Amino acid sequence: MRLTIIGASLVQRLLSMPACINVLDKAMRAASSGGMSIPPRLVAPLADASGFLLLMPGSSLDPAVYGAKVISLHPDNPARGRPPIQGFVMLFEHISGSPVAIIEAGELTAIRTAAASGLATRELARDEAKTHGILGAGVQAGTHIDAIAAVRDIELVCVWARDPGKGRRFAERHAARTGLDIVAVRGPQDAAACDIVSVVTGSDEPVLKGRWLPSGCHVNLVGAHSPTSREADTETIEKASVYVDLLESARNEAGDLLIPIAEGRFSEAAIVGELGHLLNGQIVGRRDRHQITLYKSLGIVAQDLFAAHFVFENARRQGLGTELSLDRQRQR
């Protein structure tokens, strides 16, 4: 029995953004059509409330694989020069139960989270969308530049960060990396005035106001992932046609939606449906060029399993990764 270990640099090499978007197309279809088992994820606060341990198990029929994502989340790590998310995805072969791979989860999460936004943008944004506004200047802001540029011909990226210096450095670095026209803007309203808006701040309080959104824009809400935190105000949710990755997750964790519901200004029935439902043709997408669409991303294990399996298969075909033998020695 062989176990393949795949580190962050190899994940980045094997999982391009366009490829990940295509992989997640299949993952979201499966998640919304009964092709997966997705139990609720466990979020365990540390004893001193300094961080969290997250466990996300799941099982897929096609590909026939199951496993779990196990990560730590330390929100204060970036200020110390460390990644906020660390951990791995463990894959098991479906028939025998043999463990087959351990894959670094920080890089995988960075790519697949942005790829989900790219997939939603591909399906919901106007075809002629040319400008991309990003609220936030962390890891996800960088991968969202790549994801949105993979599905639309972006001519200008406007980035807002609470720290103007960080925003300028981010814009310069990623403009040099991508060749795109990327500028740091003074206020969040400037980033929100774009055709596509991605909010990746992790803020507990709204940084996006509905009154700033132009007619016909598409919004990706990514950073908030608890029932008491949100990145967008209630007016944003009221104005938009809302899509989610998984309805069950949204009921439990999407503060961006749950807070407006508690205020009596939004209802679960107003959610159009899951992104997988849209891909499977069960619900409608954008109806006209004036409609505001919104994708509330929480991240689901289907995305992790499909992306991890894609990386594992690529590594196996190319003879990459570190292999360990798990064969038991017979006792005499």
Side-chain angles (χ1 to χ4, degrees):
M1 186 190 311
R2 311 294 290 183
L3 178 70
T4 301
I5 300 176
I6 301 172
S9 60
L10 193 51
V11 170
Q12 188 177 51
R13 174 179 165 184
L14 295 175
L15 187 63
S16 71
M17 188 59 71
C20 193
I21 290 171
N22 289 334
V23 169
L24 292 200
D25 182 303
K26 299 173 185 175
M28 302 309 287
R29 290 174 187 268
S32 296
S33 61
M36 292 203 65
S37 169
I38 306 178
R41 60 184 167 190
L42 172 66
V43 181
L46 300 187
D48 61 357
S50 63
F52 303 87
L53 174 67
L54 287 80
L55 172 65
M56 289 156 276
S59 172
S60 166
L61 295 177
D62 184 17
V65 66
Y66 67 92
K69 180 179 178 181
V70 183
I71 57 172
S72 63
L73 173 60
H74 285 246
D76 294 336
N77 268 4
R80 303 185 181 101
R82 301 169 183 163
I85 293 175
Q86 300 171 87
F88 57 86
V89 177
M90 183 80 187
L91 296 181
F92 296 80
E93 194 273 326
H94 184 81
I95 302 300
S96 68
S98 299
V100 293
I102 295 176
I103 299 167
E104 194 276 337
E107 189 66 32
L108 188 83
T109 301
I111 298 169
R112 70 83 162 145
T113 301
S117 294
L119 179 61
T121 300
R122 188 190 78 185
E123 298 299 315
L124 293 169
R126 300 193 325 272
D127 290 339
E128 67 272 20
K130 300 291 185 184
T131 58
H132 180 200
I134 304 177
L135 282 71
V139 170
Q140 278 300 323
T143 52
H144 271 72
I145 290 173
D146 300 334
I148 305 309
V151 298
R152 289 295 184 273
D153 293 325
I154 298 299
E155 296 177 350
L156 176 65
V157 179
C158 298
V159 177
W160 171 78
R162 289 187 182 88
D163 179 345
K166 181 178 180 180
R168 287 192 298 271
R169 292 188 296 273
F170 176 92
E172 291 169 0
R173 183 170 70 255
H174 287 281
R177 179 181 67 85
T178 65
L180 293 171
D181 187 3
I182 303 175
V183 299
V185 295
R186 295 182 61 182
Q189 65 273 21
D190 301 312
C194 290
D195 299 325
I196 300 162
V197 181
S198 299
V199 192
V200 291
T201 65
S203 175
D204 290 336
E205 300 293 335
V207 294
L208 177 65
K209 308 292 185 183
R211 66 177 182 271
W212 299 336
L213 295 174
S215 172
C217 74
H218 170 71
V219 179
N220 299 303
L221 286 182
V222 180
H225 48 79
S226 81
T228 58
S229 61
R230 59 174 172 169
E231 294 181 298
D233 69 354
T234 298
E235 184 179 348
T236 298
I237 305 304
E238 288 180 313
K239 293 176 70 171
S241 298
V242 176
Y243 299 78
V244 298
D245 43 22
L246 201 65
L247 285 167
E248 185 62 26
S249 297
R251 293 186 188 106
N252 296 326
E253 301 175 28
D256 283 292
L257 308 181
L258 295 174
I259 294 171
I261 289 173
E263 293 172 345
R265 295 175 58 184
F266 188 69
S267 70
E268 183 180 329
I271 299 172
V272 181
E274 297 173 0
L275 184 55
H277 292 148
L278 176 61
L279 294 165
N280 289 331
Q282 298 168 266
I283 57 175
V284 298
R286 174 173 291 275
R287 297 186 302 273
D288 58 64
R289 66 186 312 274
H290 303 291
Q291 180 185 14
I292 295 175
T293 56
L294 184 149
Y295 173 59
K296 175 53 197 168
S297 172
L298 288 165
I300 58 175
V301 74
Q303 298 166 351
D304 297 300
L305 287 183
F306 274 63
H309 186 263
F310 178 85
V311 169
F312 168 60
E313 288 295 319
N314 268 358
R316 185 163 63 176
R317 281 194 296 269
Q318 298 179 45
L320 301 173
T322 302
E323 285 199 346
L324 295 178
S325 175
L326 299 181
D327 292 335
R328 297 176 179 176
Q329 297 298 316
R330 180 173 298 174
Q331 298 295 318
R332 293 183 180 270

